[in-house]
Amino acid sequence: MNAIDQTRRMLSLVTYLRERPGARVEDVARAFGITEDELVSDLDVLPMCGTSFRGGDLLDIDTDGERIWWHNPAALGADAAEPLRLAADEATALLVAARAVATLPGLRESDRQALLRATAKVETSAGEAAGASSRLSVTFESEGGVFADVDRAISERRRLWIRYYSPARDELTEREIDPIRLVSVGHTYVEAWCRRSEARRTFRLDRVAEIRILDEPSAPPEVELRDLSEGLVQPAAEDPEVVVEVGPGGRWVAEYYPHDSAEELADGGLRIALRTPDPASLRRLALRLGRDGRIVSPPELADSARRAAREALAAYDGIEAAGTPDGPGAERHDRQERAL
């Protein structure tokens, strides 16, 4: 069950319980087609919900394991339908955020004016509570401007030109993309059709070094939007397989990277098989692991990772100028060479 289905169930549960004071746990679980443990888990969340986060407005629902009691059902009744009033801290936060958004570059002028009108109404309603907001300001980092341009391009169905930093290749590339949607999964991304690779790609906004909205219309091909509830990186069955062997100190890889299998090794490490649309991106993982891991296959990727490691060692030793064969730099170099 996904989050949307669970939210629908919990909304229905509120109505159900309000009409059945003292309902039995087993009866409610049966009515909703869930286990009693799942029901109790929902009941643990409901007391954090209400018309506001002030104590009297939160749902006061509990259970003794057999029956469910709702002690303040009037919290959602007709008597609770009075106009909501902003507290001083709420008014300050809302006004500061609204003024900051209104300064974003690339924001459509009609949206900016609508936001300013709404801000003026909130100021009037908040009265003295709005005073503190005038002494505060927020400055967005560069990602804010990129976000506004992408949002505008999506709304106006226009193509974008970007200079994008790829950490896997440590290079800046120029691309024309047809934006499809903005998504937020830890960071903010734009999912788009990349005209350079002729494929769907996802770009992290804070890695966009430069952006321009073009006159050409955006015309991405029809693509099925992915469900990102399980995370942004979701390898496909047709993606190339990469096998990595890690020692005990590299077992964390199996926790952070989606994988097909993780086989225990005699030394306490793991042999991990995973899939990725861009195997070259795992070179950075190999460098990060150092002595705690190595790429086994495909062979060309393993060779590439070894070359990258040797180049990094040579550059580092050059900077350190650890020159003598018996010096500390040579000892470190020998240890790391044995790990490759």
Side-chain angles (χ1 to χ4, degrees), residues 52-54 85-97 122 126 128-133 136:
S52 81
F53 287 106
R54 295 179 177 82
R85 298 186 180 278
L86 293 175
D89 57 340
E90 294 171 326
T92 299
L94 181 59
L95 289 169
V96 170
V122 173
E128 294 181 2
S133 68
L136 300 173

Coordinates of all heavy atoms in Angstrom, one line a residue, residues 52-54 85-97 122 126 128-133 136:
S52 N -5.1 22.3 13.6 CA -3.8 23.1 13.8 C -3.0 22.2 14.7 O -3.4 21.2 15.2 CB -4.1 24.5 14.4 OG -4.2 24.4 15.8
F53 N -1.8 22.7 15.0 CA -0.9 21.9 15.9 C -1.0 22.4 17.3 O -0.1 22.0 18.1 CB 0.6 22.1 15.4 CG 0.8 21.3 14.1 CD1 1.0 21.9 12.9 CD2 0.9 19.9 14.2 CE1 1.2 21.2 11.8 CE2 1.1 19.2 13.0 CZ 1.3 19.8 11.8
R54 N -2.0 23.1 17.7 CA -2.2 23.5 19.1 C -3.0 22.3 19.7 O -3.8 21.7 19.1 CB -3.0 24.8 19.2 CG -2.2 25.9 18.6 CD -3.0 27.2 18.7 NE -2.2 28.3 18.3 CZ -2.1 28.7 17.0 NH1 -2.7 28.0 16.1 NH2 -1.3 29.7 16.7
R85 N -7.4 31.6 12.6 CA -6.6 32.9 12.8 C -5.1 32.5 12.9 O -4.8 31.5 13.6 CB -7.1 33.6 14.1 CG -8.5 34.1 14.0 CD -8.9 34.9 15.2 NE -10.3 35.3 15.1 CZ -10.7 36.4 14.3 NH1 -9.8 37.1 13.7 NH2 -12.0 36.7 14.3
L86 N -4.3 33.3 12.3 CA -2.9 33.0 12.3 C -2.3 33.6 13.6 O -2.6 34.7 14.0 CB -2.2 33.7 11.2 CG -2.5 33.2 9.8 CD1 -1.8 34.1 8.7 CD2 -2.0 31.8 9.6
A87 N -1.5 32.7 14.3 CA -0.7 33.2 15.4 C 0.4 34.1 14.9 O 0.7 34.1 13.7 CB -0.1 32.0 16.2
A88 N 1.1 34.8 15.8 CA 2.2 35.7 15.4 C 3.3 35.0 14.6 O 3.8 35.5 13.6 CB 2.7 36.5 16.6
D89 N 3.7 33.8 15.1 CA 4.8 33.1 14.5 C 4.4 32.6 13.1 O 5.2 32.6 12.2 CB 5.3 32.0 15.4 CG 4.2 31.0 15.7 OD1 3.0 31.4 15.6 OD2 4.5 29.9 16.1
E90 N 3.1 32.2 13.0 CA 2.6 31.7 11.7 C 2.5 32.8 10.7 O 2.9 32.7 9.5 CB 1.3 31.0 11.9 CG 1.3 29.8 12.7 CD -0.1 29.2 13.1 OE1 -1.0 30.1 13.2 OE2 -0.3 28.0 13.1
A91 N 2.0 34.0 11.1 CA 1.9 35.1 10.2 C 3.3 35.6 9.7 O 3.5 35.9 8.6 CB 1.2 36.3 10.9
T92 N 4.3 35.6 10.7 CA 5.6 36.0 10.3 C 6.2 35.1 9.3 O 6.8 35.5 8.3 CB 6.5 36.1 11.6 OG1 6.0 37.0 12.5 CG2 8.0 36.4 11.2
A93 N 6.1 33.8 9.5 CA 6.7 32.8 8.6 C 6.1 32.9 7.2 O 6.8 32.8 6.2 CB 6.5 31.4 9.2
L94 N 4.8 33.0 7.2 CA 4.1 33.1 5.9 C 4.4 34.3 5.1 O 4.7 34.3 3.9 CB 2.5 33.1 6.2 CG 1.6 33.1 4.9 CD1 1.9 31.9 4.0 CD2 0.2 33.1 5.3
L95 N 4.5 35.5 5.8 CA 4.8 36.7 5.1 C 6.3 36.7 4.6 O 6.5 37.2 3.5 CB 4.5 37.9 6.0 CG 3.1 38.2 6.3 CD1 2.9 39.2 7.4 CD2 2.4 38.7 5.0
V96 N 7.2 36.3 5.5 CA 8.6 36.3 5.0 C 8.8 35.3 3.8 O 9.4 35.7 2.8 CB 9.5 35.8 6.2 CG1 10.9 35.5 5.7 CG2 9.5 36.8 7.3
A97 N 8.1 34.2 3.8 CA 8.2 33.2 2.7 C 7.6 33.8 1.5 O 8.2 33.7 0.3 CB 7.5 31.9 3.1
V122 N -2.9 39.3 3.8 CA -2.4 38.6 5.0 C -1.9 39.7 6.0 O -2.1 39.6 7.2 CB -1.3 37.6 4.7 CG1 -0.7 37.0 6.0 CG2 -1.9 36.4 3.9
A126 N -3.3 40.1 9.7 CA -2.5 39.8 10.8 C -2.3 41.0 11.7 O -2.0 40.8 12.9 CB -1.1 39.3 10.3
E128 N -0.9 43.7 14.0 CA 0.4 43.8 14.7 C 1.3 42.6 14.6 O 2.5 42.7 14.6 CB 0.2 44.1 16.2 CG -0.5 45.5 16.4 CD -0.7 45.7 17.9 OE1 -0.2 44.9 18.7 OE2 -1.2 46.8 18.3
A129 N 0.7 41.5 14.4 CA 1.5 40.2 14.3 C 2.4 40.2 13.0 O 3.3 39.5 13.0 CB 0.6 39.0 14.2
A130 N 2.0 41.1 12.1 CA 2.8 41.2 10.8 C 4.0 42.0 11.0 O 4.9 42.0 10.1 CB 1.9 41.7 9.7
G131 N 4.2 42.8 12.1 CA 5.3 43.7 12.2 C 6.6 43.1 12.2 O 7.5 43.6 11.5
A132 N 6.8 42.0 12.8 CA 8.1 41.3 12.9 C 8.6 40.9 11.5 O 9.8 40.9 11.2 CB 8.1 40.1 13.8
S133 N 7.7 40.5 10.6 CA 8.1 40.0 9.3 C 8.8 41.1 8.5 O 9.6 40.7 7.6 CB 6.9 39.5 8.5 OG 6.0 40.6 8.2
L136 N 12.6 40.9 8.7 CA 13.3 39.7 8.3 C 13.3 39.5 6.8 O 12.4 40.0 6.1 CB 12.6 38.4 8.9 CG 12.5 38.4 10.4 CD1 11.6 37.2 10.9 CD2 13.9 38.2 11.0

